[in-house]
Amino acid sequence: MPTVAIIGAQWGDEGKGKITDYLAEKADAVVRFQGGNNAGHTIVIGDSVFKLHLLPSGVLRKDKLAVIGNGVVVNFADMAEEVKQIEDAGLGIDGLRISDRAHLIMNYHKKLDGAEEVYRGNASVGTTKKGIGPTYQDKIARYGFRAGDLLEPELIREKTKFLLPMKKDLMKLMGSETCNCSEDDFAERLIGWGQKYGKYICDTSVLINDMLDEGKNILFEGAQGAMLDIDHGTYPYVTSSSTVGGGICSGAGVAPNRIQKVVGCLKAYTTRVGEGPFVTELEGAEEEELQKKGGEFGVTTGRGRRCGWLDLVVAEHAARLCGITSWAITKLDVLNGYEKIKVCVGYEIDGKVEKHFPASIAKLERAKPVYEEFDGWEDWEDSEALVSAGMDSLPENMQKYIRFIEEYTGIPADIISIGPKRSETIDRTSGWWN
Ligand code: IMP
């Protein structure tokens, strides 16, 4: 199976980093297709801990390409810090490739991100303030800088002449702190990035499609999650990119018939950061307990994540939109020791039970979760022993929980993660990824 995609089936932070790292072993290239350095995952190799936000997981593996597709937005200044982390550990970034069509995040985008949030007041989205939204706004408005521009100094100087004054005016208007740099300094900084990183910039669509023609394995690594999708998520409490399956095609430059397997990463409970509706959210001590047990604090922002029970209305929405063919169920161990565990199977809205995730935020605010309750399961001593014995050795009630998810969604749980380590993964992929 040469192409596999991994997509978050909730609001991000489902544990995609671990699953991507696990699946990346057999990939020749790991490709990101949307988002930017609003994502975040921690990778531990020996004694070194890497916190990556933009660079695809594959960048730490010598024998693989790590590709930033055209749908990603790239902040070169922040990327330089990630590169430094890697180089300081004695590793290189030889496998890095950046699409010449990828749009660039500038300092003014970050400032405008903050200013827009202030304007929104109580209706703020709770963005990561990395400039993601304003960069995608410029892309759609057709005046963004693209990575390929960095290789054309004259084009950079031309664009800077009208763009920088415009952005400075906009920042003033928005009451944001403005950039002091001159047009010359601004353009020269960009040209400098081109000189430094130009060798990594190329047409990544041609690269990926050529690799597929040669029978190479490509892993598409989604960031955020389906519920943060600009069209299908909890708008306006979403990110500004296409996080669903279709985003792979536009964001990596591959046709739909190239994508064969889509792994939906589904955390055994639900979390979200930032504002927006969350029907199964817990409150008070119950929420705090789950947050603590799951270590639910953001890698990018450090914010405590909101926590609640698993929501299969959400899972159905994600599965339908992304074409999910397998679940990777993560963080099941976090539920160890609970007496009762709830799973949401519908929303009661205005006296009716809805099975599909509604578009209306107002409706979602009125929605009450309809739960199925499961008996919990006990903690275990040695998860690696459980992994080698397979699914049947898991606590009986945990197996029931997993089977319920499979039956409700009609999708097999091909990967079951019962701890943060690679060795704490039950692999039921039975050869579809080799
Ligand atoms: P933005 O992507 O910074 O514009 O933020 C928009 C919304 O998406 C906010 O609610 C963020 O908290 C959320 N978000 C962005 N990236 C991630 C992520 O990687 N994990 C979880 N939530 C995210």
Side-chain angles (χ1 to χ4, degrees):
M1 189 72 69
T3 55
V4 172
I6 170 134
I7 294 189
Q10 293 149 319
W11 280 278
D13 309 311
E14 298 91 352
K16 291 183 297 292
K18 171 185 160 168
I19 306 301
T20 305
D21 181 57
Y22 184 77
L23 294 172
E25 190 146 34
K26 291 179 188 160
D28 296 297
V30 181
V31 180
R32 274 197 63 180
F33 54 89
Q34 47 70 226
N37 58 333
N38 48 347
H41 46 246
T42 306
I43 299 176
V44 181
I45 299 183
D47 292 334
S48 309
V49 178
F50 300 90
K51 288 193 188 292
L52 299 184
H53 298 281
L54 171 72
L55 298 175
S57 316
V59 78
L60 297 170
R61 295 173 182 262
K62 266 203 187 116
D63 53 336
K64 303 191 192 303
L65 291 185
V67 182
I68 295 179
N70 58 278
V72 177
V73 286
V74 182
N75 183 324
F76 272 85
D78 290 351
M79 187 185 87
E81 286 173 27
E82 287 184 37
V83 170
K84 185 172 179 306
Q85 246 190 88
I86 294 170
E87 288 177 343
D88 285 352
L91 301 168
I93 52 158
D94 294 349
L96 180 63
R97 299 291 181 273
I98 302 168
S99 168
D100 47 9
R101 291 176 171 86
H103 278 248
L104 306 190
I105 303 178
M106 304 294 180
N107 231 341
Y108 53 70
H109 290 127
K110 280 169 111 168
K111 292 192 162 130
L112 289 168
D113 196 349
E116 284 180 9
E117 284 286 84
V118 172
Y119 258 88
R120 286 191 184 107
N122 286 342
S124 70
V125 175
T127 74
T128 58
K129 301 214 175 70
K130 298 285 179 188
I132 306 296
T135 307
Y136 281 114
Q137 287 170 30
D138 278 5
K139 173 177 176 172
I140 301 300
R142 295 160 299 181
Y143 38 65
F145 281 101
R146 305 202 294 180
D149 296 349
L150 299 178
L151 309 176
E152 302 289 346
E154 270 325 297
L155 181 73
I156 293 279
R157 292 190 186 105
E158 275 307 301
K159 268 183 145 171
T160 301
K161 266 189 214 153
F162 80 90
L163 258 174
L164 193 60
M166 182 173 107
K167 292 297 173 185
K168 283 186 177 178
D169 284 350
L170 187 60
M171 282 185 277
K172 249 187 247 157
L173 201 70
M174 300 277 292
S176 137
E177 174 198 324
T178 179
C179 302
N180 296 319
C181 67
S182 68
E183 285 166 34
D184 282 349
D185 288 349
F186 181 90
E188 289 318 307
R189 186 159 355 118
L190 264 59
I191 293 164
W193 288 342
Q195 285 160 350
K196 192 160 180 195
Y197 295 112
K199 62 180 171 192
Y200 304 109
I201 298 172
C202 65
D203 186 331
T204 52
S205 166
V206 171
L207 173 79
I208 296 164
N209 282 279
D210 281 353
M211 288 181 79
L212 288 172
D213 290 342
E214 288 162 23
K216 299 271 172 55
N217 285 349
I218 308 286
L219 178 66
F220 296 99
E221 176 186 2
Q224 291 83 48
M227 302 311 290
L228 288 170
D229 183 82
I230 184 71
D231 288 283
H232 302 284
T234 43
Y235 188 90
Y237 302 100
V238 292
T239 191
S240 298
S241 63
S242 292
T243 58
V244 295
I248 302 168
C249 301
S250 56
V254 292
N257 58 355
R258 289 284 206 180
I259 298 157
Q260 292 163 312
K261 204 83 187 161
V262 182
V263 177
C265 199
L266 186 72
K267 184 148 60 180
Y269 51 96
T270 311
T271 60
R272 99 169 275 180
V273 277
E275 306 306 323
F278 181 176
V279 177
T280 63
E281 184 170 17
L282 290 166
E283 284 178 359
E286 271 193 308
E287 180 167 39
E288 255 172 56
E289 184 190 359
L290 192 48
Q291 190 181 64
K292 245 198 215 146
K293 280 185 89 176
E296 296 295 351
F297 299 91
V299 175
T300 300
T301 59
R303 291 182 286 185
R305 297 178 186 137
R306 299 158 65 193
C307 295
W309 296 119
L310 179 64
D311 185 341
L312 292 182
V313 179
V314 162
E316 185 279 329
H317 191 67
R320 173 168 32 85
L321 291 163
C322 302
I324 291 170
T325 52
S326 300
W327 292 122
I329 304 182
T330 58
K331 299 189 93 163
L332 274 156
D333 53 300
V334 173
L335 298 181
N336 290 2
Y338 272 96
E339 210 171 296
K340 296 282 178 195
I341 296 168
K342 291 183 186 172
V343 176
C344 176
V345 292
Y347 294 165
E348 195 197 311
I349 305 171
D350 305 332
K352 267 176 54 194
V353 175
E354 303 264 356
K355 290 287 185 183
H356 296 297
F357 196 88
S360 157
I361 297 292
K363 264 189 163 184
L364 284 164
E365 296 297 355
R366 296 199 298 276
K368 292 190 188 69
V370 178
Y371 283 122
E372 292 249 348
E373 200 173 72
F374 290 79
D375 289 329
W377 52 85
E378 61 286 4
D379 212 341
W380 53 70
E381 293 271 297
D382 181 355
S383 41
E384 286 170 27
L386 282 188
V387 169
S388 47
M391 164 94 172
D392 294 344
S393 69
L394 292 175
E396 189 62 35
N397 287 338
M398 187 192 262
Q399 291 187 45
K400 279 191 194 153
Y401 191 72
I402 296 167
R403 288 208 183 95
F404 184 76
I405 297 170
E406 292 185 314
E407 278 158 24
Y408 186 94
T409 58
I411 297 168
D414 283 343
I415 299 173
I416 295 168
S417 171
I418 57 166
K421 292 191 227 147
R422 253 197 215 182
S423 53
E424 293 170 311
T425 315
I426 297 179
D427 187 338
R428 302 161 85 210
T429 56
S430 57
W432 55 246
W433 183 228
N434 48 37

